[in-house]
Amino acid sequence: MKMVTRTVDLRSDTVTKPSDVMRAAMANADVDDDALGTDPTAFRLESEMAKVMGKEAAVFVPSGTMGNLIAVLVHCEIRGSEVILGDDSHIHVYENGGISTFGGVHPKTIKNNPDGTMDIDKIEAAIRTPTDSLYYPTTRLICLENTQANCGGRCISAEYTDRVGEIAKKHGLKLHIDGARIFNASVALRVPVHRLVQAADSVSVCLSKGLGAPAGSVLVGSKNFIAKARRLRKALGGCMRQVGVLCAAAYVALSENVSKLEDDHRKAKIIAEGLSQIEQFSVDTKSVETNMVFFNILDTSVLSPKRLCQVLEERGVLVLPSSSTSIRIVLHYQISDNDVNYALTCIKQAVHQILTEASPKHGN
C-alpha cells in the first residue's frame, strides 16, 4: 500500500480543527465560574446568539444532543407527553432515545419527505389531546430540523415553519427547531436566521458543525424557557465552570465563519456534479442545497459502500457510509478546491481498483 501523503476528511463538518484565531481567543479568554453565572465570555456568546436568533435569552450547552434534550424536557414537563417529529430526524434517530430515557417523552413520528418537510395535514392529524381516548398520550410539542441532515441537508423555508407554528399555536403546543445547521439554511435560502426561526418557541444551534467551533451548542428561547433550561442543564451534568474557554472559540466561529458557508455549498455542488459523471453512482444534484452530498451505488454486489470507504481511506480520503447502498460527503471551510478535485480523482481511481480486483481476468 502506498504511503498516504494527504488527508481530505469529508466524514462530517464536525471534524474541523480550531483555527489559530480560535486558539488565541481560547488562550486569552476572560473567564469565571459559569455555574455561578459569572463567566463573561459565556455571557457575551449567549447574548449575541439570542440577538442573532431573535429570541430573549440563550444558554451554552456542551452538545446539540443535550440542547435538544433540554428543550424537549422543558416543553414536555409532564412524563408521558408526546412529541411529533420526523421519522428521519436527528432527535429520533441519533440521540440515543434520550427524550424517552430521561423525560419519559413518547415520540410520534411523521414520515419526512425528500425535501425534509413533513406533510402539514399529517402533523395536524397526529395531534392528540387530553380529551381524546384515554389510550393515547397527550401531544405537547412539535419538532422540526433545519437543515434536515438525513434528507441531504435540505433547507426548511420560513413559510413552511410559519405554517407548522400556526398549527402548534392553534392546538396549544410548542414548536422546537433542531437548528444544528440553521446558518447553512439561512445562507442557502438568503433569509436571515432570525426569520427562519421566528415561529419557534426554542431553537438549538450547533457551533461545532458548519461554523467550525471545537465544541458546543447554544439553546435559545424566552427568558422563562432559558431559566428552566439552565436548571436542566445542571441536572444533566452540562453546567461547566470556566466554560468561556470554549465560548471564546465559538464566538470566533459565529463572527468569522458564517460568511464561509456559501463556499462550502458551492464545493458540495462541484462534488455532486463530479459524482454524477461516474456511471456506477446515482446522485440527485438538484437536491444538494447546502454542504451535504449523498450518493447511491447502483450495484453493491461488488462495489459496496464499506469497501469503497476502505479503499478511499488508503488514499487519504475519509467518507462514511450512510446506508448499505449509499455514502455521505460533508463539506466544511477547511476543505479547499484542490481537496475537492483530489477527492473526486481518488473516488474514480477507487471505483476502478475495486472493479478491476473483482473481474475474472484479475483473478487469473
Side-chain angles (χ1 to χ4, degrees):
M1 185 185 358
K2 63 181 181 180
M3 185 77 81
V4 174
T5 56
R6 67 189 291 182
T7 299
V8 179
D9 196 339
L10 302 170
R11 292 172 298 169
S12 179
D13 46 8
T14 60
V15 301
T16 55
K17 307 297 190 292
S19 66
D20 290 342
V21 177
M22 287 182 194
R23 291 177 189 273
M26 294 170 77
N28 297 308
D30 184 9
V31 298
D32 204 328
D33 191 335
D34 191 47
L36 300 178
T38 54
D39 189 297
T41 306
F43 178 79
R44 180 178 68 154
L45 175 67
E46 291 165 347
S47 299
E48 182 64 18
M49 282 297 297
K51 178 182 175 183
V52 169
M53 303 303 292
K55 303 300 180 187
E56 289 181 350
V59 61
F60 181 85
V61 291
S63 69
T65 293
M66 183 178 286
N68 286 330
L69 175 60
I70 289 172
V72 173
L73 296 186
V74 170
H75 293 312
C76 299
E77 290 182 301
I78 300 173
R79 291 185 68 85
S81 296
E82 186 167 74
V83 54
I84 295 172
L85 72 176
D87 68 336
D88 226 359
S89 65
H90 196 279
I91 293 175
H92 184 61
V93 179
Y94 294 122
E95 299 186 8
N96 211 245
I99 62 172
S100 299
T101 304
F102 298 106
V105 178
H106 183 259
K108 174 71 172 177
T109 58
I110 306 293
K111 182 176 175 57
N112 278 115
N113 297 317
D115 67 357
T117 64
M118 299 175 280
D119 289 345
I120 295 287
D121 58 342
K122 290 181 180 177
I123 293 175
E124 189 157 28
I127 296 171
R128 303 193 275 201
T129 70
T131 58
D132 289 336
S133 171
L134 57 83
Y135 293 102
Y136 301 149
T138 298
T139 308
R140 290 190 167 84
L141 176 66
I142 301 171
C143 290
L144 299 178
E145 182 180 330
N146 197 9
T147 62
Q148 217 297 341
N150 269 5
C151 293
R154 303 299 294 271
C155 302
I156 308 300
S157 70
E159 293 74 19
Y160 173 83
T161 304
D162 287 348
R163 291 177 66 194
V164 176
E166 288 166 8
I167 288 173
K169 283 187 177 179
K170 174 183 172 183
H171 294 274
L173 311 179
K174 299 297 185 181
L175 172 61
H176 172 68
I177 295 177
D178 174 0
R181 296 182 177 89
I182 192 71
F183 283 97
N184 290 88
S186 173
V187 168
L189 294 171
R190 301 189 184 282
V191 175
V193 69
H194 67 84
R195 177 65 189 89
L196 290 180
V197 302
Q198 185 175 299
D201 296 285
S202 60
V203 188
S204 62
V205 184
C206 193
L207 299 160
S208 62
K209 290 188 169 73
L211 297 185
S217 286
V218 172
L219 186 60
V220 301
S222 68
K223 290 180 180 177
N224 182 55
F225 170 86
I226 293 299
K228 293 179 179 179
R230 287 185 181 278
R231 296 187 72 86
L232 279 166
R233 182 185 66 166
K234 181 65 175 174
L236 292 169
C239 185
M240 296 179 281
R241 300 297 180 178
Q242 285 69 41
V243 75
V245 172
L246 290 177
C247 292
Y251 193 88
V252 171
L254 182 65
S255 304
E256 296 191 355
N257 291 347
V258 174
S259 61
K260 300 174 184 177
L261 296 177
E262 188 169 11
D263 207 42
D264 296 343
H265 302 171
R266 177 184 64 81
K267 290 167 189 166
K269 289 178 172 63
I270 292 172
I271 282 193
E273 288 293 340
L275 292 170
S276 71
Q277 304 302 313
I278 301 174
E279 63 178 319
Q280 289 81 11
F281 299 155
S282 169
V283 56
D284 181 4
T285 56
K286 292 180 180 178
S287 73
V288 179
E289 296 177 346
T290 55
N291 65 327
M292 306 179 87
V293 181
F294 288 71
F295 66 95
N296 292 303
I297 300 174
L298 298 176
D299 181 4
T300 56
S301 59
V302 173
L303 187 63
S304 70
K306 182 179 179 181
R307 178 60 180 146
L308 182 57
C309 290
Q310 289 173 339
V311 176
L312 285 173
E313 186 173 358
E314 293 169 2
R315 289 170 162 76
V317 176
L318 307 180
V319 294
L320 290 174
S322 56
S323 75
S324 60
T325 60
S326 63
I327 287 175
R328 185 186 84 162
I329 287 175
V330 186
L331 278 295
H332 51 81
Y333 81 100
Q334 292 178 347
I335 295 295
S336 66
D337 283 292
N338 187 272
D339 289 332
V340 167
N341 293 330
Y342 178 76
L344 284 169
T345 298
C346 287
I347 290 170
K348 292 173 187 175
Q349 293 174 345
V351 169
H352 178 73
Q353 176 186 325
I354 294 167
L355 295 180
T356 300
E357 290 173 349
S359 67
K361 290 181 180 179
H362 184 81
N364 294 335

